[in-house]
């Protein structure tokens, strides 16, 4: 074997084959998800210390941000008033010395032992006439030389230092050199995109001769990561189109027309466009796989309902699924109002009709009720069935399910779609699928995470909405003023939501805190008003009762956990108060805020923060104050948190995107997508590129089918 090494081959060589990696080191490396030579080669530096840009200590100007490379001369540690640790290190280079102080980082005393060479990045200030850096970024360099020194993510617990990694990477590269590293990318594509070879990229990412070379290396490796993902998605899509059978519907007809005629308002252009997309999809004999993205309040329900009615009109059934019973219930009520009195053509009577039958399937039915409902579903007597996602999991049998709508589901990935295929229909044809989400997805993520779905976007709100005024409430005085405003709004006939702090991933703790908050508010800030309580631990009958009373205006305020996060629609509610808002994410706050502003009344959203929000939490609250545009917020969110939460935690160590950033690499996502489409126009096209085909094959086989889809 003398051909250049492929990723598949590199991934089959255990790291223990390297010198210096014995059993103990091997276990430590496994702790950072490095098991093979490929893992090691793609264990990329976290940062680089550019020694060509380093400043001598003597020349460092106070106020400047600089990198110094120096030796630790001494370290001292003491406690300040209040007991907080303060570590001071004296560091020196050939030109002079300075100090570095670290607040609240007691471990620095162990890290900065005398004689170590460190790179420190920070702002130079002056303290008692001496130059000093406060809490600088520190990298241990060991005795490594070179102009640009890579700094690897290291693990203190695993006992792996950055220079250990560097030396293993160097050895791995040295031992790969005789055979070289294969480049499966067609060279015309490489040239067109101005990319360097893979071998060069793997060299330069680890040992860049210049920062420009490092940037070129990153581009190539980022492109490779994204291209692999796009090729897999492309393959899945083409396979689906070639092999999946659906049910072709006639999109126009009496039922759909009758429904359109009784709407009190015209559809927005965006709704109309989405409906046209759906009509085209369900009119074909191939199943629809469409994502409907629309900000809260953009009117997704109507679009979904149109799809369901097309199914019914064609003699089939539709299912509408929500993530919780509260939401399923609410969908049911909304849909029931919209559909009441509609008639379905009845083939058993020539030219005759029968009333449309809508059912809500949920827990809490008596055994008889449930059995009857299942019979209706199985015989086709039930036209549209609303329920939770359990509809799919349980063995609910439909007579002829042809359109499925899933609301607010980010996790509805490839695996769930496979289940839909299995449970959907006995004739092997697959129902059309519409997934709705009110969480706007940044463009890069839509192309990657949902890359194999078609997307319709509702980028327009129905007319007559007044934007929600959002205020970040800081401090007890501001909170007091807020409650006065809340009361005034209630006294003028409107209603308010109060969302309780998110305690933990524990429904029961959240429930307890909601109960407590309810009692506190009912006795204090909201005394004398009718205050309801809603949390996930209540029996469904109680939840339902509370929601019904709130909807009917029999409650002035609803104290709730995030169970109200999605979908709840009470137009008369015009105030949203979120307590401890700094503990929520941007998307979640945006969803919560979307519960108000659902009518022409002006609405307010108050985000009450705890005393000392972290800088990131502050940035989130500021973003919400500044914008009500869900797409702009989603982009901001991605910037603030990186793509971490787009990935499954368990997977993140070996995630598909190690270098590529969905926040920053839009251009490359787009380029990879274009190249994938270009290379694979129809199923099997990759055969012409055996190197790439093999790489995708290897990549797809080691990867969770829902790799990116969990959130
Ligand atoms: P979401 O996208 O958040 O699910 P909904 O479908 O619940 O939005 O719609 C929000 C509200 O807007 C509902 O009360 C609905 O009746 C109303 N609505 C939907 N489409 C229109 C429209 N084209 N014109 C006026 N109101 C509309
Ligand atoms: Mg909705």
């Amino acid at each position: 074997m003398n051909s250049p090494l492929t990723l598949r081959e590199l991934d089959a060589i255990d790291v223990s084959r390297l010198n210096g990696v014995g059993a103990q080191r091997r276990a430590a490396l496994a702790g950072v998800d490095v098991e093979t030579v490929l893992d090691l080669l793609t264990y990329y530096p976290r940062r680089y210390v550019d020694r060509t840009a380093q400043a001598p200590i003597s020349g460092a100007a106070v106020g400047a941000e600089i990198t110094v490379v120096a030796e630790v001369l001494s370290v001292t540690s003491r406690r300040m008033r209040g007991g907080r640790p303060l570590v001071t290190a004296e560091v020196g280079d050939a030109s002079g010395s300075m100090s570095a102080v670290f607040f609240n980082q007691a471990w620095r005393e162990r890290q900065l032992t005398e004689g170590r060479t460190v790179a420190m990045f920070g702002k130079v200030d002056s303290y008692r006439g001496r130059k000093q850096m406060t809490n600088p970024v520190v990298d241990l360099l060991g005795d490594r030389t070179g102009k640009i020194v890579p700094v690897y993510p290291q693990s203190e617990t695993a006992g792996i230092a950055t220079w250990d990694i560097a030396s293993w990477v160097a050895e791995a590269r040295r031992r790969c050199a005789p055979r070289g590293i294969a480049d499966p990318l067609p060279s015309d594509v490489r040239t067109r995109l101005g990319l360097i070879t893979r071998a060069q990229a793997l060299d330069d990412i680890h040992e860049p001769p210049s920062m420009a070379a490092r940037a070129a290396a990153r581009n190539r490796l980022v492109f490779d990561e994204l291209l692999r993902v796009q090729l897999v998605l492309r393959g899945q899509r083409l396979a689906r189109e070639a092999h999946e059978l659906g049910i072709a519907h006639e999109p126009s007809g009496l039922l759909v027309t009758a429904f359109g005629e009784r709407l009190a308002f015209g559809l927005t252009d965006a709704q109309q466009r989405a409906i046209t997309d759906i009509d085209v999809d369900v009119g074909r004999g191939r199943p629809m796989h469409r994502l409907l993205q629309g900000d809260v309040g953009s009117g997704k329900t109507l679009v979904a309902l149109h799809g369901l009615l097309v199914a019914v009109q064609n003699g089939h059934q539709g299912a509408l699924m929500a993530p919780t019973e509260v939401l399923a219930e609410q969908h049911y009520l909304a849909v029931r109002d919209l559909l009441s009195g509609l008639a379905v053509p009845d083939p058993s009577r020539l030219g005759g009709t029968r009333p449309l039958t809508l059912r809500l399937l949920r827990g809490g039915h008596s055994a008889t009720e449930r059995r009857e409902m299942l019979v209706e579903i199985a015989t086709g007597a039930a036209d549209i069935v609303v329920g939770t996602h359990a509809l799919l999991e349980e063995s609910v049998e439909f007579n002829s399910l042809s359109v499925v709508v899933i609301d607010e589901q980010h996790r509805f990935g490839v695996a769930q779609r496979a289940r839909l295929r299995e449970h959907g229909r006995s004739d092997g044809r697959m129902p059309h699928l519409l997934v709705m989400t009110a969480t706007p997805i940044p463009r890069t993520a839509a192309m990657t995470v949902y890359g194999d779905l078609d997307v319709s976007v509702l980028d327009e709100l129905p007319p007559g909405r007044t934007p929600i005024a959002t205020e970040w409430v800081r401090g007890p005085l501001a909170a007091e003023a807020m409650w006065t405003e809340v009361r005034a709004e209630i006294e003028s006939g409107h209603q308010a939501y109060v969302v309780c702090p998110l305690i933990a991933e524990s429904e029961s703790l959240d429930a307890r805190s909601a109960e407590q908050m309810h009692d506190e508010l009912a006795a204090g800030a909201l005394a004398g008003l009718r205050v309801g309580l809603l949390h996930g631990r209540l029996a469904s009958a109680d939840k339902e009762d509370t929601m019904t009373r709130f909807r009917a205006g029999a409650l002035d305020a609803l104290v709730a956990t995030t169970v109200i996060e999605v979908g709840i629609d009470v137009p008369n509610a015009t105030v949203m108060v979120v307590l401890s808002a700094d503990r929520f994410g941007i998307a979640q706050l945006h969803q919560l805020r979307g519960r108000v502003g659902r009518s022409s009344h002006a609405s307010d959203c108050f985000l009450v923060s705890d005393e000392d929000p972290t800088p990131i939490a502050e940035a989130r609250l500021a973003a919400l104050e500044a914008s009500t545009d869900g797409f702009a917020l989603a982009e901001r969110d991605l910037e603030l948190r990186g793509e971490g939460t787009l990935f499954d935690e368990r997977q993140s160590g070996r995630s598909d995107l190690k270098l590529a950033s969905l926040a920053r690499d839009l251009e490359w996502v787009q380029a990879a997508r274009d190249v994938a489409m270009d290379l694979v126009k129809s199923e099997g096209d990759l055969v012409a590129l055996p190197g790439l085909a093999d790489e995708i094959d290897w990549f797809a086989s080691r990867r969770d089918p829902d790799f990116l889809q969990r959130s």
Side-chain angles (χ1 to χ4, degrees), residues 678-693:
D678 204 40
L679 292 179
V680 186
K681 296 211 173 59
S682 49
E683 218 189 358
D685 279 1
L686 264 192
V687 174
L689 299 167
L692 202 50

Side-chain angles (χ1 to χ4, degrees), residues 399-584:
N399 177 50
S400 179
L401 180 62
S402 77
V403 173
V404 172
V405 177
I406 306 214
D407 192 18
E408 302 301 351
Q409 180 56 287
H410 317 258
R411 288 157 202 247
F412 199 80
V414 177
Q416 283 90 336
R417 276 185 266 155
R419 180 149 53 223
L420 183 61
R421 193 164 33 225
E422 284 155 27
H423 291 291
R425 299 176 54 92
S426 51
D427 62 2
R429 292 188 293 173
M430 193 179 164
H432 297 284
L433 175 66
L434 182 70
V435 179
M436 304 198 283
T437 174
T439 310
I441 301 162
R443 267 213 304 153
T444 48
M447 282 189 279
T448 310
V449 182
Y450 292 94
D452 66 331
L453 296 180
D454 296 307
V455 180
S456 298
V457 180
L458 299 184
D459 50 5
E460 182 184 359
L461 293 181
R465 301 278 170 81
T466 32
I468 305 161
T470 303
E471 191 187 325
W472 171 8
V473 178
R474 277 165 276 196
L477 277 182
E480 207 171 297
M482 172 192 78
W483 290 118
T484 308
E485 269 185 73
V486 172
R487 291 191 73 103
E489 190 63 17
I490 290 175
E491 270 145 28
S492 75
H494 296 298
Q495 290 160 284
Y497 297 101
V498 180
V499 175
C500 296
L502 201 60
I503 305 289
E505 299 281 287
S506 151
E507 214 181 38
S508 66
L509 278 180
D510 280 347
R512 270 230 307 281
S513 109
E515 271 161 25
Q516 221 168 352
M517 187 56 68
H518 169 270
D519 296 350
E520 236 168 76
L521 288 172
L526 301 178
L529 301 173
R530 297 165 301 173
V531 184
L533 171 67
L534 193 71
H535 60 67
R537 278 302 173 97
L538 294 171
S540 20
D542 293 340
K543 279 189 250 184
E544 212 171 287
D545 179 58
T546 302
M547 270 322 293
T548 308
R549 286 197 299 148
F550 189 69
R551 232 177 251 123
L555 290 172
D556 299 310
L558 190 60
V559 175
T561 58
T562 50
V563 292
I564 64 154
E565 183 179 349
V566 280
I568 283 184
D569 186 14
V570 179
N572 191 49
T574 56
V575 181
M576 167 62 64
V577 175
V578 183
L579 301 173
S580 303
D582 47 297
R583 298 189 205 172
F584 294 86

Side-chain angles (χ1 to χ4, degrees), residues 68 72 74-78 80 84-91 97-109 111-112 118 120-128 130-138:
V68 299
V72 178
S74 67
V75 188
T76 56
S77 167
R78 63 184 178 86
M80 295 179 294
R84 297 197 299 162
L86 175 71
V87 174
T88 305
E90 285 298 310
V91 301
S97 68
M98 68 186 293
S99 42
V101 295
F102 301 90
F103 292 95
N104 270 333
Q105 303 176 22
W107 54 275
R108 292 287 188 194
E109 191 184 2
Q111 182 197 34
L112 301 172
V118 295
M120 287 190 180
F121 172 79
K123 195 165 146 203
V124 182
D125 43 39
S126 160
Y127 181 72
R128 293 188 178 153
R130 258 180 76 69
K131 282 178 199 166
Q132 163 176 306
M133 278 187 189
T134 306
N135 292 337
V137 176
V138 177

Side-chain angles (χ1 to χ4, degrees), residues 368-417:
T368 331
E369 269 175 336
R370 185 175 172 83
R371 203 169 328 113
E372 277 169 15
M373 216 174 273
L374 289 177
V375 168
E376 285 182 315
I377 296 171
T379 58
D383 297 301
I384 296 178
V385 184
V386 182
T388 65
H389 299 142
L391 267 187
L392 258 194
E393 265 115 59
E394 292 166 20
S395 48
V396 179
E397 255 186 69
F398 284 80
N399 177 50
S400 179
L401 180 62
S402 77
V403 173
V404 172
V405 177
I406 306 214
D407 192 18
E408 302 301 351
Q409 180 56 287
H410 317 258
R411 288 157 202 247
F412 199 80
V414 177
Q416 283 90 336
R417 276 185 266 155

